[in-house]
Amino acid sequence: MSNLRHFIERVLVKRQAQKPKLEAVQQDLRDLGQQLEHLRGLAAETSTSNDAPPDLRQRTAALAAGITSLESQVNDGIARTANLLARFAKNTINIGVAGKARQGKSTILQAISGLDNRVIPTSDGLPCTGAKSRILHRTDDPHAEVEYYKTEEFVREIVHAYYEELKLPNLPATLDEFERSLPPKPNFEKPEEHAVYEKLKDLHAGLGAYRPYLSRQSQRITLDEVRDYVSQEDGRKRYLAVRCANIHVPFPNGDVSGLAIVDLPGLGEIAKGHSEKLVTSLQREVDAIVLVKLPSDTGDDWFAADIKVFNEVKKAVPELDLSDWLFVVLNVKQDGSNARQVEILKGRPLHIGSSPRLLAVNCLQAETVRQGVFMEVLRHLEENLERIDKRQTSVLAAYLTNLAGEAAALVQPVWDYFQQDTAGTGDFQKFGELFRSFRMRLRTNLDELTDEYRQLVRNKGMAKEFGAAVDEACDAAKTSVPVPPPDDLKGRFHDLGGWKAAVTEELHHLRSHLTHCLADILDRRLGQMVEEVRRKIMARLMADPLGRVLPQELREEVDPRRQLEAFRQLLDKDGQPTLHAGVSYLLSFSFSYQSHFHHRVREAMDPLDPMAIREEGEDDPVIAIAPREDTAQCVEEVGRGLRSFYERVVWSVRQRLHQEMENDPMRAIFSMVEETRDRLVRAREVERQWEWLLYPCRAEIWPDEFNRFAVASARRQEWQSGIEAVRRYAGKLRSASA
Amino acid sequence: MIDSAVNRDRLHLTMGANMSDRVINMIMLGPSRVGKSSLLATMYRAIGKMKTGFDLTPVDDTQDRLDDAYYNLNRVMEQQVFAPVEDLLKGTMDFIEHRFEVGFHGAKEFDLVFHDFRGGAMMRAGPDLAALREKVARSHVIFNVLDAVALMEVDAVQGDFLNGHDRVCQLLNKTLQAGENYLIVFVLVKCETYVKTASSRERLINRFEERHGAVLRLIEKLNEQNKNVAALLIPAITLGCVEFKEIDQDGNFVFERTRKDFEPREVDQPLRYALHFVLKRFDESRSVWDRLYRWWYGLDKAFLADLSKFAAHRKPDYKKYGGPHLL
């Protein structure tokens, strides 16, 4: 026992390690539940649909019938997982102590915890402890923390429990409603129902006393105050608002950190809500139960009430044998008057298929209790708790495996039906015919367009258009010669200290102005030319029927880029890489003055570049323009020289663009058309990519042809995806259980 | 093929009994307004300064016409920006002969006739073209004047219209004869802008060879067969102080005066090559008695010495085509 603390730590660590897995299982079960719900709706729709084949209707009806049962198993699985999760998530190992009034439960609790009557009241009459309390080992700072019910929680768990047990009308939704009036007492058939109703009346009458405590934050109190919060003696009502009192005290049996003793009220009590909470405690909170029974000295037996308690424990956690976790303490009276009865009970078989451990002790003898009960339970836990945990885990795993198998089996017939692809066969044949026709038309369309542009290249078709753009740009440059007026030019002369510097600066301005004019106008015109070709490509690409894949508002869109962008969004980059790349290429194609022409005409601008390296014989513009006499009076001559150089350069640039580059836009545009054609219809594998793209949207593209297939196809798709999800979750559950 | 009348004429001119009666023909070939007369005027001015025993003397009203042409050229150039569109040939005449006497040490050797014409005649079918063809057939030196701006600044179609590449080729193809020697001088005028640097000069020559390729191929072909045609390309800077600016909306070539001085360069070279060619041919064609007479008085050696001196003033670095032995 010296390693008790280490043992507790080890068990807790192992339990914590199971948490993520259990949480994942819980989520999978929830998702499975949702999918089953979805399939139920689908099955209801399909099984009553006239256009569904009879075989399918039959199979889906059978599936719908099976779903109800499976759903209840899923819910059960969720509850089981939640219980185990709660059990494994605890940070203590808990021993529950239960017993009817006057059996010695409080005495045992006192003996184990070392607490006295001030904290754990004992009574000779009615049940003394009204609220659940948990006693934890702590060597310093003895105190208690009181947790209260939230108001709505109280209404739901306590008030409703009475109403439901008594089948009372007008279930109150709020505490105010409950407070306003209590339904009159009906004519109960069972005698105990009268007693329960009386308890409800007490609950109603005492509301003013405990109501202020509902929904309060946890409260720290001294040990002396505990009794006021958990006891129902002397007409105390506050305990009704208490969900649990956690009492921290040093146990007399050494360091048992990580161990808690839970006082479980409610066993055999009339008060409603308590027995439900007891079951929950058994399932989630308690690792061992100590049930105290004081045999009567006038003769006793295992009565029906005892058997009922054992059955409740068994039912709460059916996978465990009672001997695994239930200890029945037969309380031997101080005077030994019931010793004979204790012996008799110990030897009498229970006939319940499973036997709890029976311990006979005199509860008033604290040391005897500690040795004969507490240490006995601890020893048992040390030897068996890990095995018990494993047992619970494996039982859940088996349950989940079975559940997964049933889920898979349930959907299999419908899955088989759709695997035969009866709905898709005719559909695909039709698609094949239409697709071949589409592909041929698209190819012809793009081939024609490519040929059209090939002819244009041959006939220098667009040269005139670009030539006009060049003339426009050069005319604009020439019209706006940025040579400053004479006075300004004189100013430059004075500022810069001579004509050479002034001319140098002006030449840079002139060159920059010319480049700007050219870029501005040519880029606009080139952009228009490219846009026009894009429009033509899109007109051929998006001609019916493919255009129907675009959103309605984009079908008549004037801007081809928007159409292209929308079409690209329909493409899967991984699934249709060539198509995606082709559309991206077409979308991003650009042709600008700066990127294609400027570097080629730049040399012609050298006369406007004072820094240019010149050949022998070539005029240096600064020397040619700056007058020999460096005086301001020569301003006209300088202006004339600048203008003259500028105009000559404009001419040279114009000539070079006309003579050497006039056909370049045409060639570039032809290459764009051809490349687009190649990528969209000529590239390897692209045909398959078109097929993958069009098949899912065939009903939109060829509505007349696929209307009759559309419903079946949509149904098939929905069923397949629903069943696939169920199979997927079933697989996950099976894996988690392995 | 040329007709028999032309053949007879050629024989008479070259084989006349009295040497001083001889006439040697040259023709200025080129379309309208290319600058044929301007070239002749500036060539004559430039050649006038040659310091040899040979004399080139204009006869009749040749001097006046050339002076007028030269005056007009200068007048146009006085403007800052100008387009030399005015025809320098006055009146309505389509053909004109500029006649010179060529003498050696004061004695006339032969007459030299430059046949000039309105360029339109070259480009139109009809009587003018037939007359032109006849004159070309009589000539042993053909100056083919080409507009450098038309070579460099306009497209091939327009260039052909302005420089008549095809028409020149057709004319020569129909008139050049085996058994006769010819010199063809391609003179590029208005070329100031394009001969400033070595690379721009090279571009100009390349463009000439590209556009005028058919003529050059014809020369090579005739020369392969008969070894009787020599040709060279001379970019002649007739003004030196202008710069091509642009082509205006009416298609006129617009030039600007630069700050450089009026300084024609290499303008004498076409005529110098031409005179050297004809003098040499003339000397080779003398009769036996004439040779004997000249040998007796030592005139033959003096003639050759001065011819050699005259040749030394020719610049050698022009692009040449055909048979160099004839130069």
Side-chain angles (χ1 to χ4, degrees), chain B residues 1-12 134 137-138 174 177:
Chain B
M1 289 296 290
I2 55 172
D3 58 32
S4 53
V6 174
N7 265 329
R8 279 199 304 277
D9 195 17
R10 186 194 303 276
L11 287 172
H12 168 74
E134 182 264 336
R138 279 197 219 165
K174 286 180 185 293
Q177 286 289 300

Side-chain angles (χ1 to χ4, degrees), chain A residues 414-439:
Chain A
V414 182
W415 175 260
D416 289 343
Y417 175 86
F418 285 112
Q419 284 304 102
Q420 291 165 11
D421 199 17
T422 49
T425 309
D427 172 89
F428 197 76
Q429 281 171 356
K430 186 70 189 167
F431 174 77
E433 290 167 21
L434 293 166
F435 177 73
R436 277 190 291 280
S437 157
F438 158 79
R439 187 197 60 200

Side-chain angles (χ1 to χ4, degrees), chain B residues 71-89:
Chain B
Y71 171 76
N72 286 339
L73 185 65
N74 277 283
R75 201 194 57 192
V76 169
M77 220 174 56
E78 281 167 6
Q79 302 160 40
Q80 183 61 37
V81 178
F82 60 91
V85 294
E86 196 180 345
D87 204 325
L88 295 175
L89 280 182

Side-chain angles (χ1 to χ4, degrees), chain A residues 107-143:
Chain A
T107 315
I108 279 192
L109 286 170
Q110 286 182 0
I112 294 171
S113 64
L115 293 169
D116 58 21
N117 238 14
R118 287 176 304 138
V119 183
I120 304 175
T122 56
S123 158
D124 294 333
L126 291 167
C128 189
T129 314
K132 186 170 93 176
S133 56
R134 190 185 291 126
I135 308 164
L136 300 103
H137 172 76
R138 180 173 178 148
T139 51
D140 60 338
D141 187 24
H143 70 280

Side-chain angles (χ1 to χ4, degrees), chain A residues 458-472:
Chain A
R458 194 167 296 160
N459 304 331
K460 300 181 176 173
M462 281 174 110
K464 202 176 264 183
E465 199 176 338
F466 181 64
V470 169
D471 285 340
E472 184 189 342

Side-chain angles (χ1 to χ4, degrees), chain B residues 32-104:
Chain B
S32 180
R33 295 173 182 174
V34 74
K36 298 185 293 294
S37 304
S38 302
L39 176 67
L40 181 58
T42 48
M43 279 198 306
Y44 168 68
R45 284 284 174 128
I47 205 81
K49 296 170 190 164
M50 59 186 180
K51 303 277 189 268
T52 60
F54 298 109
D55 296 316
L56 184 67
T57 310
V59 294
D60 305 331
D61 53 356
T62 297
Q63 179 77 53
D64 296 340
R65 282 198 304 270
L66 293 180
D67 283 349
D68 284 351
Y70 195 73
Y71 171 76
N72 286 339
L73 185 65
N74 277 283
R75 201 194 57 192
V76 169
M77 220 174 56
E78 281 167 6
Q79 302 160 40
Q80 183 61 37
V81 178
F82 60 91
V85 294
E86 196 180 345
D87 204 325
L88 295 175
L89 280 182
K90 299 296 176 195
T92 55
M93 63 185 79
D94 280 335
F95 291 95
I96 190 162
E97 293 180 355
H98 306 291
R99 187 173 286 267
F100 297 87
E101 278 183 6
V102 177
F104 182 63

